[in-house]
């Protein structure tokens, strides 16, 4: 019965997401056309003007569905509130960044210190709440050893690092039609099933709702995309996924099932670092790594399909581990 709940929550969130995305596309098309980087793959130049900030639909769909579950008494209201605070909060940071870049035509958007500072504040709020008001407090589950380890005073900086790393990794992954939305749907489904398996209802319901919202958005975001999620969506997805995983004490599974996110972020770090120390040389033809494969001759659809398969395999590995 508990696994049927995953399907019901996903379906409700999927329907809401499809409806809102369909409604928002013409509105965003008038106000929020996407700018395309000139040094990117030439095939992306045709995407100029595609409406961005479509992640608004994902946020509304997942939030309404999760709140509905809380109202019905299916999940803990306080736990639901803290996850949604992080989810919506990171979405708002992305929204303001998108608003400045896409609508106000300020290419810089939020300054790096502003964006990172706001993300850090939200991450600290989550860490302090979890350390003081949740069962298990500062304990972290170690998957391979199947034990819990108390991180003590290191728990808060650990949580802050996990949230910031995951959020920005998802943001870097959002570069091809359907890539971030599809991959996040798979990973959210993993945490939904894991949560219901171990009776962690709050995180499980939220992840089910986020999976459905991503799939609903994917209807319009698949190649050729009619809408992009923008930082509004990618930051929300990263923050919400991290918050749910940490609340379920499954945060150390994030780099395993979300290995693709890690690789995407690492490719950027390596590219920038090597460029600086080598005097202008590059490891990849272009970073993040999904653009490298495009530069190698793979079509956008082929890259996305390959990355989806990789994400599914990582999720399967996660089930074997737990």
């Amino acid at each position: 019965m508990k696994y049927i709940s995953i399907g019901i929550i996903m379906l409700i969130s999927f329907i809401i997401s499809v409806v809102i995305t369909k409604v928002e596309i013409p509105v965003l098309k008038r106000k929020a056309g996407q700018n395309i980087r000139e040094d990117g793959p030439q095939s992306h130049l045709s995407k100029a003007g595609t409406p961005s900030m479509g992640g608004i639909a994902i946020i509304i769909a997942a939030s309404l569905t999760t709140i509905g579950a809380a109202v019905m008494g299916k999940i803990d209201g306080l736990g639901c509130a803290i996850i949604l605070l992080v989810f919506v909060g990171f979405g708002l940071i992305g929204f303001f960044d998108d608003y400045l870049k896409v609508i106000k035509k300020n290419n810089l958007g939020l300054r790096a210190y502003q964006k990172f500072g706001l993300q850090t504040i939200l991450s600290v709020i989550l860490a302090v709440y979890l350390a003081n008001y949740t069962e298990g407090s500062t304990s972290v589950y170690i998957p391979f050893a199947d034990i819990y380890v108390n991180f003590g005073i290191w728990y808060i900086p650990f949580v802050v690092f996990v949230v910031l790393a995951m959020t920005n990794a998802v943001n870097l992954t959002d570069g091809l039609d359907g890539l971030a939305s599809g991959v996040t749907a798979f990973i959210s489904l993993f945490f939904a099933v894991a949560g219901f398996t171990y009776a962690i209802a709050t995180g499980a319901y939220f992840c089910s709702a986020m999976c459905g919202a991503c799939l609903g958005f994917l209807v319009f975001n698949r190649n050729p995309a009619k809408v992009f999620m923008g930082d509004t969506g990618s930051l929300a997805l990263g923050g919400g996924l991290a918050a749910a995983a940490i609340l379920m004490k499954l945060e150390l599974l994030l780099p395993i099932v979300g290995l693709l996110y890690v690789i995407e972020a690492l490719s950027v770090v390596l590219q920038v670092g090597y460029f600086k120390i080598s005097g202008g040389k590059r490891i990849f033809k272009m970073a993040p790594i999904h653009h490298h494969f495009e530069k190698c001759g793979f079509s956008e659809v082929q890259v996305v399909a390959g990355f989806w398969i990789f994400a599914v395999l990582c999720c399967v590995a996660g089930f074997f581990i737990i």
Side-chain angles (χ1 to χ4, degrees):
M1 182 63 185
K2 57 186 178 182
Y3 295 112
I4 295 177
S5 298
I6 295 178
I8 295 173
I9 292 295
M10 282 177 56
L11 179 60
I12 295 172
S13 187
F14 172 85
I15 293 172
I16 296 173
S17 181
V18 168
V19 171
I20 296 178
T21 305
K22 188 174 182 61
V23 170
E24 73 178 357
I25 288 177
V27 177
L28 293 174
K29 189 173 290 187
R30 292 194 297 269
K31 298 288 186 179
Q34 178 69 48
N35 296 319
I36 304 298
R37 52 190 290 191
E38 294 181 358
D39 62 337
Q42 293 299 302
S43 61
H44 286 213
L45 296 179
S46 62
K47 299 174 184 285
T50 302
S52 186
M53 301 174 71
I56 294 171
I58 297 176
I59 295 172
I60 294 175
S63 297
L64 287 179
T65 309
T66 305
I67 291 171
V71 170
M72 294 175 63
K74 298 292 185 180
I75 56 179
D76 170 52
L78 188 56
C80 168
I82 199 68
I83 292 178
L84 291 181
L85 172 66
V86 177
F87 179 58
V88 176
F90 273 97
L92 285 174
I93 295 173
F95 175 83
F96 289 128
D97 192 40
D98 284 337
Y99 180 80
L100 291 174
K101 289 187 293 188
V102 180
I103 296 180
K104 290 298 185 180
K105 307 303 179 184
N106 179 349
N107 291 332
L108 294 176
L110 288 175
R111 298 296 192 270
Y113 75 88
Q114 293 173 323
K115 187 186 294 187
F116 190 76
L118 291 171
Q119 291 177 357
T120 302
I121 290 171
L122 276 175
S123 301
V124 170
I125 291 173
L126 174 66
V128 170
Y129 166 77
L130 294 174
N132 293 281
Y133 302 106
T134 60
E135 185 179 353
S137 60
T138 57
S139 295
V140 176
Y141 177 65
I142 311 299
F144 294 99
D146 195 27
I147 59 172
Y148 285 88
V149 174
N150 192 331
F151 275 37
I153 61 173
W154 297 104
Y155 182 77
I156 290 179
F158 167 73
V159 169
V160 171
F161 170 77
V162 170
V163 176
L164 291 177
M166 178 57 55
T167 302
N168 290 285
V170 176
N171 182 237
L172 290 170
T173 303
D174 181 34
L176 300 179
D177 294 352
L179 180 56
S181 52
V183 169
T184 305
F186 293 129
I187 296 173
S188 297
L189 179 59
F190 166 85
F191 280 106
V193 174
F196 278 114
T197 300
Y198 292 102
I200 316 172
T202 302
Y205 271 92
F206 172 76
C207 287
S208 299
M210 194 159 69
C211 177
C214 285
L215 291 176
F217 182 75
L218 188 59
V219 171
F220 303 95
N221 183 235
R222 70 185 189 279
N223 187 270
K226 296 180 178 64
V227 63
F228 300 139
M229 68 173 67
D231 284 4
T232 304
S234 60
L235 292 184
L237 291 178
L241 191 60
I246 295 169
L247 191 72
M248 293 190 288
K249 296 297 181 183
L250 298 175
E251 56 266 64
L252 289 185
L253 286 174
L254 278 171
I256 298 172
V257 299
L259 181 58
L260 180 63
Y261 297 144
V262 177
I263 294 173
E264 291 273 27
L266 191 59
S267 70
V268 174
V269 173
L270 291 174
Q271 183 86 322
V272 174
Y274 187 71
F275 183 86
K276 289 183 177 180
I277 65 176
S278 67
K281 295 181 180 179
R282 292 176 170 82
I283 299 175
F284 307 104
K285 293 184 177 182
M286 188 176 179
I289 199 169
H290 53 255
H291 289 318
H292 170 79
F293 285 106
E294 283 190 288
K295 291 280 191 178
C296 288
F298 293 95
S299 71
E300 185 172 354
V301 173
Q302 288 174 324
V303 176
V304 171
F307 279 29
W308 281 5
I309 293 170
F310 181 78
V312 170
L313 292 176
C314 289
C315 290
V316 172
F319 282 118
F320 279 106
I321 291 171
I322 62 173

